[in-house]
Amino acid sequence: MAAATKTVALGPEPARADDGPRTVGRRGSIRYDYFKDESELGSIIAMIDKDLSEPYSIYTYRYFIRGWPKLCIIAYDEDQEDKMVGVIVCKADHSRRQRYRGYIAMLAVDTTLRRKRIGSSLVTLAIREMVAIGCDEAVLETEITNKAAMRLYENLGFYRDKRLCKYYLNGVDAFRLKLWLKDVSDCSDVVAARKQQEEAAAVLAASRPSAGAGAQT
C-alpha cells in the first residue's frame, strides 16, 4: 500500500474545465495555481517572511522557484479579489542514497484563514506533483515547538525521521519529517523508523497518569 494514498485523497477538487492551465485545484473560493512569473515573487516573500524565524534572501527564492516552478503552488481567494492567501515552495533532487527526494522548503498561510485546510491542500498538491515526477519520498524540517505544523504534516502521513539539535540559528531543535511515496514493503529503514515511533508513542501513553489521577487532592 502506497504511503501517499491518504494524502492524495485529502486534496482539493481538480481544476474546472474553464480554468486556465496554471490552475491545479480548488476548494470553495480558494484556487490553487502554479507559480507564474516574478510578478508574484514579492507577495510570496512577504507572506513567507512573516512566519520564518530565519528569512531567506531573494536568491534562495529564485533558486527554488526557477528550478522547480511546478513545485511552487499558490493559493488565491476569489472572494477577496484573488488575494494571495497561501504558498508552498519545494524542490526535487537526489539524496545521498540516490533516492529522488521531494523537499518542502517553505509553507505559509494567511493568518486570517488558518484552519481552512489551505495548508494541507497546498501540501497535498505539492505531493501530487512529486509523485507525478517520480519522487521516492518527501521530506522537510520544522521546529519542534511548531505544534500546528507537526500536526498538519503528521495528519497527512509524515512521520518523525530524525531530531536535529540546534538546527535553527535561534538554537531551536528541528524534526525532520518524511513521507514515503512508494511501497514501503521493501524499505526496511522506513519500516524500522515507523516502528520505533509507534513504540515510543506506546511507552509515552503508558507513562501518563489515568484520567482522574490529577483531580485528587
Side-chain angles (χ1 to χ4, degrees), residues 81-100:
E81 300 180 345
D82 270 4
K83 176 185 176 183
M84 185 183 293
V85 294
V87 62
I88 189 167
V89 178
C90 315
K91 70 171 185 173
D93 56 16
H94 286 90
S95 69
R96 292 180 181 177
R97 297 185 180 182
Q98 292 305 303
R99 290 177 181 151
Y100 196 36

Side-chain angles (χ1 to χ4, degrees), residues 198-210:
E198 291 168 359
E199 290 174 350
V203 170
L204 180 62
S207 67
R208 290 172 177 161
S210 59

Side-chain angles (χ1 to χ4, degrees), residues 12 16 82 105 107 132 163-164 184 195 199:
R16 298 189 307 228
D82 270 4
L107 173 66
R163 181 166 179 157
L164 306 170
V184 300
K195 184 177 179 181
E199 290 174 350

Side-chain angles (χ1 to χ4, degrees), residues 5 21 27 33 39 53 63-64 93 135 157 186 194 209:
T5 302
R27 171 168 280 141
D33 289 355
S39 65
S53 57
Y63 164 75
F64 283 101
D93 56 16
C135 288
D186 59 348
R194 289 189 172 177

Side-chain angles (χ1 to χ4, degrees), residues 38 41 57-67:
E38 290 247 342
L41 189 55
S57 75
I58 191 171
Y59 303 105
T60 302
Y61 287 97
R62 285 175 172 157
Y63 164 75
F64 283 101
I65 293 170
R66 289 180 175 178

